[in-house]
Amino acid sequence: MATTGLQHVAAMYAGVVAPPLIVGAAVGLTGTELTFLTGACLFTAGLATFLQTLGVWKIGARLPFVNGVTFAGVAPMTAIAATTHDRSDALPVIFGAVIVAGLLGFLAAPFFSKAVRFFPPVVTGSVITLIGVSLLPVAFGWAQGPDPAAADYGSAKYLGLAAATLALVLLLRRVTRGFVQQIAVLIGLVAGTLVAIPCGVTDFSPVADADLVGFPTPFHFGAPQFQLAAILSLCVVMVVSMTESTADMLALGEIVGRPADERTITAGLRADTLGSALSPLFNGFMCSAFAQNIGLVAMTRIRSRFVVAAGGGFLVLMGLCPAAAALIAVVPRPVLGGAGVVLFGSVAASGIQTLVGAGLDKGDNILVVAVTLAVGIVPITAPDFYHAFPGTARIVLDSGISTGCVTAVLLNLVFNHLGGRRAAASEAEAREPAATAVPLTSPQSIP
């Protein structure tokens, strides 16, 4: 149980620590603060995994699910940070928005499990593709170095480290199998850090300053603040997260021989949303199921939810050990950038694979995808496009994921649901792909 539980942790570790690294850098956290935030996210991921696997009352799918910080919220959270005048208020605003979005999602879970037909693969695939595309600029920024104002930013030294890390991850994926292949990104991060030591890029001060044992102090970064625009933005993310979790539950139910019915989906969504609502109490972010662990269940054929619960226990222990969380803060930004190209690029690839099964040759689905992607990449290709709008509105508009999700849902309603025969035909086409493309619909998927 211990070894297989650790394998689940290894498969999702890179995915759970990347969001706090991105958001922490966006709000200007120090190395010590970044270590604390990373540990808090590991701790809350473990709690959310307990809630999903073991369950309480009508909460928890009681399936072998690993939960952690969802990538879907990263771009909106960095947009919130960018539009907050005082950076010290950015995390409290984010935490307040996550709490409200989680509680609203918890109340909506029974109804959402009935309305999932409005989120077919053409919608989820478009949004997941946008998540990956929105995160890639972060990886490119990391690859150029830690300080954009430095004279050596973007130098050959930094880009070489990023390229070497990327090449190593790809090599491991190509020539290895099983467990080593699953943790290729993690091995790439370790090896890249070791290579960076002679270059004078690695800083071990976060580990030296970290305690061996510590507890994520509730509301360490300040009491939560509640701003309407931030709440709306993360409510959209919550809808995306609930859609992905529903798809993952359907897939995992088939793998373990216990098909997920409406009751199971409702209980699973309650665990996701309640875990998200409680996560900010310990300085964590929105949580969702990790799809790569579903693949691990299928590969190992170890289907016990208690094995995954053991993995959740290891996550909690890692969150209670700041020195362990500090290890990820040691990894140089260029090394993170090289691994991020694989990590974030695979998210976009997962979305594209979902779109392959969405029937783009049928009806007007191609228009839904085309306009959704166009609207979603506006903040990436033209960052000042919405400069004339108020700051509160820009929190939503500057997130391509939020605007893209809203666009996809509305266009899908217009083209595939309004009108009698068109709606019936669309639902018949979408129902089967939604089940077959399920394992590829989570933005946490990594090679």
Side-chain angles (χ1 to χ4, degrees), residues 119-147:
F119 298 89
V122 69
V123 173
T124 57
S126 299
V127 175
I128 294 165
T129 302
L130 280 175
I131 291 171
V133 172
S134 297
L135 292 175
L136 279 172
V138 175
F140 300 148
W142 282 348
Q144 296 179 78
D147 185 6

Side-chain angles (χ1 to χ4, degrees), residues 99-125:
I99 291 172
V100 175
L103 292 176
L104 291 177
F106 182 84
L107 296 175
F111 308 100
F112 189 88
S113 59
K114 302 178 188 295
V116 71
R117 66 191 183 94
F118 295 111
F119 298 89
V122 69
V123 173
T124 57

Side-chain angles (χ1 to χ4, degrees), residues 129-219:
T129 302
L130 280 175
I131 291 171
V133 172
S134 297
L135 292 175
L136 279 172
V138 175
F140 300 148
W142 282 348
Q144 296 179 78
D147 185 6
D152 61 350
Y153 185 70
S155 65
K157 174 177 67 175
Y158 290 140
L159 296 181
L161 280 173
T165 304
L166 173 60
L168 178 60
V169 172
L170 294 177
L171 180 64
L172 289 171
R173 286 290 301 175
R174 178 64 182 85
V175 302
T176 61
R177 292 290 181 271
F179 179 64
V180 175
Q181 189 181 62
Q182 286 288 331
I183 62 171
V185 173
L186 188 60
I187 295 174
L189 291 174
V190 173
T193 301
L194 295 176
V195 171
I197 293 176
C199 301
V201 179
T202 307
D203 178 16
F204 288 98
S205 60
V207 176
D209 297 336
D211 297 326
L212 186 61
V213 178
F215 185 78
T217 312
F219 300 131

Side-chain angles (χ1 to χ4, degrees), residues 152-375:
D152 61 350
Y153 185 70
S155 65
K157 174 177 67 175
Y158 290 140
L159 296 181
L161 280 173
T165 304
L166 173 60
L168 178 60
V169 172
L170 294 177
L171 180 64
L172 289 171
R173 286 290 301 175
R174 178 64 182 85
V175 302
T176 61
R177 292 290 181 271
F179 179 64
V180 175
Q181 189 181 62
Q182 286 288 331
I183 62 171
V185 173
L186 188 60
I187 295 174
L189 291 174
V190 173
T193 301
L194 295 176
V195 171
I197 293 176
C199 301
V201 179
T202 307
D203 178 16
F204 288 98
S205 60
V207 176
D209 297 336
D211 297 326
L212 186 61
V213 178
F215 185 78
T217 312
F219 300 131
H220 176 80
F221 297 99
Q225 300 179 24
F226 303 95
Q227 294 185 5
L228 180 60
I231 291 171
L232 290 176
S233 181
L234 290 190
C235 280
V236 172
V237 174
M238 180 56 73
V239 171
V240 175
S241 178
M242 292 171 73
T243 304
E244 295 157 4
S245 291
T246 299
D248 290 338
M249 278 183 268
L250 292 171
L252 188 58
E254 294 296 326
I255 291 171
V256 302
R258 188 188 135 195
D261 55 16
E262 186 177 311
R263 183 178 178 181
T264 301
I265 292 173
T266 300
L269 293 178
R270 283 177 176 149
D272 268 7
T273 53
L274 183 60
S276 297
L278 294 177
S279 188
L281 174 64
F282 300 104
N283 312 283
F285 299 132
M286 190 178 295
C287 295
S288 183
F290 273 49
Q292 64 266 34
N293 293 86
I294 298 176
L296 194 58
V297 172
M299 181 185 72
T300 62
R301 297 186 180 181
I302 299 175
R303 304 171 182 178
S304 170
R305 61 191 174 105
F306 299 104
V307 165
V308 175
F314 284 116
L315 288 171
V316 170
L317 291 176
M318 293 171 69
L320 295 176
C321 180
L327 290 175
I328 194 65
V330 170
V331 181
R333 292 290 174 86
V335 174
L336 284 171
V341 170
V342 178
L343 188 65
F344 305 148
S346 64
V347 175
S350 294
I352 294 171
Q353 287 180 315
T354 302
L355 289 174
V356 169
L360 297 185
D361 58 333
K362 301 172 183 176
D364 297 306
N365 282 346
I366 191 69
L367 294 177
V368 176
V369 176
V371 178
T372 296
L373 295 181
V375 171

